[in-house]
Amino acid sequence: MIRRPPRSTPKPSSAASDVYKRQASFALGRLNPATIGHELLVDAIKKEEGDSFLFLTDRAPKLPKDPLTSQDKLDWARKSFNGISIGLAKTVLIAADRLYKMGYKDIVYLEGIDPEKPFPLSKLIKDYNGVPKELHDYNFNSIRVVQLPRDASAADASGMSGTKMREYVQNNDIEGFKTGVTQSAQPYAKEMFKKLQGIMGVDPVEEGIFDLISFSGDEMEEKYIPFVIKNIRRYGDKRTKALLMKKFPDIKPVDANRAVKQALDIIAKRG
């Protein structure tokens, strides 16, 4: 079910009003989970003329890329974004069909540029316009496509993704996870983090365990030991040591051994 965003101001009763009524701008994505990176897409949709829609792929959860159910994704997206109608659709063609049946005659489809996917979804939308099928039957007057550049390696919001959020969960990094959560969803960040931990089988770090470390500014105490504590129960000491040396390439082997030993001592004291 699509929820329309409330209108804060009435639309003008002019020719522009008619365009607004018959045009819809939308995008489709997995958003598992939604992030500040997706918020940039939402903002771009809302800048286009007409009504704004965001469709989430309606598919069964499957690890590792799709941990959340469709309903969980939908609930989280609605907490993350304001001023846009958000719903579920199994495919982009079904999303287009739904908009057509709602009375829209012109659409704008926004999609990210992905060099690894040379066959964009926008081509499907255009190819099936006016081609009736059992699951979709639409015939828009116009279909305009807006392609948005994206740098997955960027350190700002443009590089944030569901993949990075799941990595934060895998690494028991709640603070990193929060950096990818939109402002409106911040009050629910810890709840979603724990939900994903449970689904992904990540053992949480006990509350207060870091109180046993005396943080003095030493890299051993500020970086190495906390990293080991977060990962050792899942990966074991040998694998965790290898991950530690990969994440901190300047660490000496003797310090990596010390970090593992001290982390194990802290966990043992905690009981």
Side-chain angles (χ1 to χ4, degrees):
M1 178 181 177
I2 293 287
R3 293 182 184 173
R4 293 173 181 268
R7 298 289 188 209
S8 57
T9 55
K11 292 295 170 183
S13 56
S14 63
S17 173
D18 294 334
V19 171
Y20 198 97
K21 289 177 182 177
R22 62 182 172 85
Q23 179 168 299
S25 301
F26 77 107
L28 174 96
R30 286 193 302 124
L31 280 76
N32 206 324
T35 73
I36 56 173
H38 299 121
E39 187 173 37
L40 297 177
L41 171 62
V42 169
D43 289 343
I45 295 171
K46 293 193 295 187
K47 287 179 181 178
E48 297 292 334
E49 290 184 341
D51 291 325
S52 303
F53 294 88
L54 176 65
F55 290 93
L56 314 183
T57 51
D58 187 6
R59 61 176 66 172
K62 183 179 180 180
L63 293 173
K65 292 185 177 181
D66 295 291
L68 296 174
T69 66
S70 295
Q71 189 58 51
D72 284 339
K73 290 195 303 180
L74 185 62
D75 292 343
W76 180 247
R78 285 175 174 168
K79 290 173 181 174
S80 300
F81 312 125
N82 298 310
I84 189 169
S85 301
I86 306 175
L88 298 171
K90 290 191 179 296
T91 69
V92 71
L93 299 176
I94 291 176
D97 177 81
R98 195 166 300 167
L99 293 175
Y100 186 73
K101 287 178 170 55
M102 291 170 66
Y104 296 101
K105 302 302 181 185
D106 300 273
I107 58 170
V108 179
Y109 179 68
L110 293 87
E111 64 183 355
I113 299 174
D114 189 346
E116 296 182 3
K117 295 181 180 179
F119 190 78
L121 293 180
S122 56
K123 185 177 187 307
L124 277 177
I125 300 174
K126 290 183 174 181
D127 286 349
Y128 282 94
N129 193 44
V131 181
K133 294 290 181 180
E134 183 179 353
L135 295 178
H136 48 84
D137 182 5
Y138 58 84
N139 192 7
F140 295 105
N141 293 334
S142 68
I143 300 172
R144 182 163 63 86
V145 177
V146 176
Q147 291 191 313
L148 305 171
R150 178 178 175 269
D151 181 3
S153 63
D156 58 10
S158 64
M160 184 54 67
S161 65
T163 299
K164 288 184 178 179
M165 295 290 271
R166 295 191 299 273
E167 287 176 355
Y168 285 133
V169 173
Q170 198 75 54
N171 294 328
N172 257 312
D173 186 355
I174 179 63
E175 295 306 319
F177 184 83
K178 286 180 178 179
T179 64
V181 175
T182 66
Q183 192 61 42
S184 60
Q186 284 291 334
Y188 315 100
K190 189 173 183 180
E191 177 185 348
M192 175 52 71
F193 185 79
K194 289 184 175 180
K195 179 188 284 287
L196 285 166
Q197 278 185 316
I199 295 171
M200 296 168 63
V202 178
D203 293 328
V205 175
E206 295 92 336
E207 295 284 343
I209 196 164
F210 293 117
D211 294 339
L212 297 172
I213 304 176
S214 175
F215 290 96
S216 61
D218 181 80
E219 283 191 331
M220 176 67 72
E221 297 174 343
E222 286 194 347
K223 297 179 180 179
Y224 305 155
I225 295 176
F227 179 86
V228 173
I229 290 174
K230 289 177 180 179
N231 291 280
I232 199 163
R233 288 182 174 173
R234 180 170 181 81
Y235 298 111
D237 54 354
K238 291 183 179 180
R239 174 65 174 154
T240 299
K241 179 184 172 183
L243 291 172
L244 176 68
M245 297 185 74
K246 182 178 180 181
K247 183 168 182 66
F248 304 104
D250 293 333
I251 189 174
K252 298 177 182 178
V254 64
D255 287 333
N257 289 331
R258 284 178 53 213
V260 171
K261 184 180 183 304
Q262 291 185 39
L264 288 171
D265 288 343
I266 291 169
I267 292 172
K269 288 177 183 178
R270 182 70 177 178

